[in-house]
Amino acid sequence: MKKDTISALATPVGGAICVIRLSGPDAISIADTIFSRDIATAKANTLHYGEIMDDDRCVVDDVIIAVYRAPHSYTGEDSIEISCHGSAYIVQQILILLEAHGARQAEPGEYTRRAYLNGKMDLSQAEAVADLIASTNKAQHDLAISQLKGHFSKELDNLREQLLKLTSLLELELDFSDHEELEFADRGELDTLAHEIDNHILNLADSFKTGNAVKNGIPVAIVGKTNVGKSTLLNALLHEDRAIVSDVHGTTRDIIEDTTTINGLLFRFIDTAGLRKTDDTIERIGIDRALSTINRAMVVLWVIDGMPTPEELNDIQNRCKDKHLIIVVNKTDIDKDASQATCSFIASSTPTTTIIKISAKKGNGIQQLEDAIYNSLSLAETTSADVVVSSARHYTILMKAHDHLSAVIDKLSAGISADLLAEDLKLVIDDLASITGQDRIESQETLNFIFKNFCIGK
């Protein structure tokens, strides 16, 4: 890690105030050279009002400077935060002064990277900082807060502690290898504990489906025949004219995708090409993509505007066996009796399927549909106290740990020697350690990948 001093703007320019951060061994002395008051000997965690002065001792701005001393700062280093007025010119002049006195411009994510390397947070918590900054709704915020507070890290620490205990007992047996009858680790207890830990790892990995959906938006496919009102429904759900609406069949030939928030959860609605037989090559491609979209969706809205055949009803149910299917009866404003007859037929054929009557054109029933979409998922119950995996990196490593632990279980069944069991257990421990960066040196490539998408001031 570079031991120099860095500076960066930590807030957007143009507001009432902006915050400029410095971190590093010379942060306080550099700030002292351009500040009208002495802060070189200032106590930690104190605020100081004064003026930023240029090299000609002309006033640049009235500011408040916060002083933090190592290790009690975000980065674990001596740090300064300068709160100045939000003028782009003022910010630029202060940054130029700081650089002229030895504080180089920070790289993306460098503050949080230094916090990780200085032991202020583990790697999974560092990743959570980026998720917290990017959160746009309560569910995303709660997931990021949970990880930032270390709930996920504590789960992993508990698993690693149990594995380390088993490994130490197995390695103890190796020290007495000349006494083959000695077994410090009871193989039956070891097998039971290995299965328990493996189940815990799989449960964490299974939560990735929830975490990924919350983080990136829950995919909802809008499907149905041509001209049943799918695009009108998309516009109603998004509360804007996103899709072209036309009475001409086959207007939508490709998927149209956009997001909106319902009750604090981000949903990604996908309008698809109308399902029908066609000789049009381009439209056929759109229909194929529509069917593919069903496979990727967690919720499927099947939009109809008339009585479906038993074959059509059976087909959509087969395609949505592992999905949350909601049948949306549209255009109820045209013929209420026909719509009611349609709902009665579907209810008698599939009594467990959710049916919502709407008029997408007039907006009738849209609120009820949004509630049905929201209530179809247990994701709404996720809180900041839950441990939910939302990182693809974490999921991949957990599955790798599962594979290595499965090898341990297989070798236990086969009566394999303690040395080989210990080696496989070490692989599981290393896998879990790589998530948080504990007791393991991460490669430069991994660190660069994690921190490259951070903003400059974080």
Side-chain angles (χ1 to χ4, degrees):
M1 182 181 69
K2 298 175 182 177
K3 293 295 184 180
D4 54 353
T5 300
I6 56 175
S7 66
L9 177 66
T11 57
V13 175
I17 63 170
C18 283
V19 176
I20 296 171
R21 310 176 79 182
L22 290 89
S23 183
D26 300 322
I28 296 174
S29 62
I30 290 173
D32 184 64
T33 61
I34 65 171
F35 195 48
S36 60
R37 295 178 58 188
D38 175 25
I39 57 170
T41 58
K43 293 182 179 179
N45 307 319
T46 55
L47 298 176
H48 305 267
Y49 172 75
E51 299 168 331
I52 295 291
M53 315 285 289
D54 65 18
D55 292 340
D56 296 325
R57 307 313 291 171
C58 295
V59 175
V60 176
D61 192 21
D62 290 342
V63 303
I64 292 177
I65 285 183
V67 178
Y68 304 97
R69 293 189 179 274
H72 305 295
S73 70
Y74 179 77
T75 60
E77 304 172 328
D78 284 349
S79 298
I80 290 288
E81 289 186 359
I82 302 173
S83 297
C84 63
H85 291 98
S87 158
Y89 174 77
I90 290 174
V91 170
Q92 182 186 43
Q93 292 304 303
I94 295 175
L95 287 172
I96 289 173
L97 279 171
L98 293 173
E99 188 166 10
H101 287 272
R104 69 170 174 81
Q105 286 289 298
E107 299 171 359
E110 191 168 2
Y111 286 91
T112 304
R113 180 169 181 159
R114 289 189 176 204
Y116 159 66
L117 293 173
N118 287 324
K120 300 298 290 185
M121 60 181 69
D122 64 39
L123 200 55
S124 68
Q125 290 173 302
E127 291 172 286
V129 173
D131 291 342
L132 186 62
I133 293 171
S135 63
T136 58
N137 57 66
K138 185 179 185 300
Q140 291 174 345
H141 169 270
D142 287 347
L143 282 183
I145 284 291
S146 174
Q147 190 165 317
L148 186 59
K149 286 186 175 181
H151 295 163
F152 182 40
S153 301
K154 290 175 184 176
E155 290 279 337
L156 296 178
D157 286 344
N158 180 52
L159 294 177
R160 290 178 67 246
E161 185 177 348
Q162 296 179 66
L163 289 167
L164 283 168
K165 181 179 179 180
L166 294 176
T167 305
S168 63
L169 289 174
L170 288 170
E171 291 188 338
L172 188 60
E173 290 181 11
L174 299 179
D175 292 336
F176 295 89
S177 57
D178 52 334
H179 299 278
E180 295 181 1
E181 71 282 1
L182 285 177
E183 280 192 358
F184 292 97
D186 181 271
R187 295 304 188 265
E189 292 181 5
L190 179 57
D191 182 70
T192 299
L193 188 55
H195 276 92
E196 290 177 357
I197 294 174
D198 190 43
N199 288 335
H200 201 143
I201 288 173
L202 285 176
N203 286 335
L204 287 173
D206 287 342
S207 72
F208 175 66
K209 184 177 182 181
T210 296
N212 186 56
V214 169
K215 184 176 179 178
N216 298 308
I218 299 157
V220 181
I222 304 175
V223 300
K225 293 181 179 179
T226 59
N227 214 27
V228 295
K230 297 187 301 300
S231 296
T232 304
L233 174 58
L234 175 67
N235 291 340
L237 289 167
L238 298 177
H239 305 287
E240 64 173 294
D241 291 335
R242 177 69 175 80
I244 298 174
V245 176
S246 170
D247 292 332
V248 178
H249 288 272
T251 301
T252 303
R253 296 189 170 206
D254 202 352
I255 61 173
I256 300 173
E257 186 172 335
D258 211 335
T259 60
T260 191
T261 300
I262 300 175
N263 296 339
L265 278 175
L266 183 68
F267 287 86
R268 186 156 40 89
F269 289 100
I270 310 163
D271 182 22
T272 62
L275 305 178
R276 66 167 182 164
K277 293 182 179 180
T278 179
D279 294 327
D280 188 302
T281 302
I282 303 300
E283 188 179 353
R284 182 67 251 173
I285 293 173
I287 293 171
D288 290 341
R289 290 182 178 178
L291 296 175
S292 176
T293 298
I294 293 177
N295 296 330
R296 295 187 288 110
M298 292 183 68
V299 181
V300 176
L301 306 182
W302 185 41
V303 185
I304 59 176
D305 62 355
M307 187 74 71
T309 66
E311 292 76 19
E312 290 171 338
L313 198 55
N314 185 61
D315 179 65
I316 193 66
Q317 286 184 307
N318 287 335
R319 293 183 185 277
C320 300
K321 283 183 177 178
D322 59 341
K323 315 292 180 185
H324 299 281
L325 173 63
I326 298 175
I327 299 178
V328 182
V329 181
N330 192 22
K331 304 181 182 179
T332 56
D333 56 306
I334 296 177
D335 192 335
K336 294 183 179 179
D337 292 337
S339 298
Q340 186 57 48
T342 297
C343 292
S344 298
F345 167 71
I346 296 172
S348 62
S349 303
T350 59
T352 60
T353 303
T354 302
I355 308 165
I356 302 294
K357 295 188 294 182
I358 70 163
S359 170
K361 186 175 183 179
K362 293 191 174 183
N364 300 337
I366 297 301
Q367 182 61 56
Q368 290 84 348
L369 177 57
E370 289 180 347
D371 291 341
I373 294 169
Y374 177 82
N375 292 329
S376 70
L377 303 163
S378 60
L379 304 181
E381 301 173 1
T382 300
T383 70
S384 59
D386 296 327
V387 177
V388 178
V389 176
S390 61
S391 164
R393 184 181 80 88
H394 300 169
Y395 171 77
T396 300
I397 295 173
L398 286 171
M399 293 309 296
K400 186 179 177 183
H402 161 66
D403 290 341
H404 287 146
L405 199 51
S406 296
V408 171
I409 293 171
D410 290 342
K411 288 177 181 178
L412 279 169
S413 299
I416 299 299
S417 61
D419 57 337
L420 295 177
L421 288 173
E423 285 303 314
D424 281 330
L425 282 173
K426 285 180 181 178
L427 290 176
V428 182
I429 294 170
D430 284 346
D431 289 335
L432 299 181
S434 69
I435 293 177
T436 59
Q438 293 177 328
D439 301 328
R440 177 175 181 150
I441 300 175
E442 290 291 323
S443 69
Q444 192 71 18
E445 292 77 10
T446 301
L447 293 180
N448 287 339
F449 173 79
I450 289 172
F451 293 111
K452 69 179 180 181
N453 293 318
F454 275 74
C455 56
I456 296 295
K458 201 64 179 176

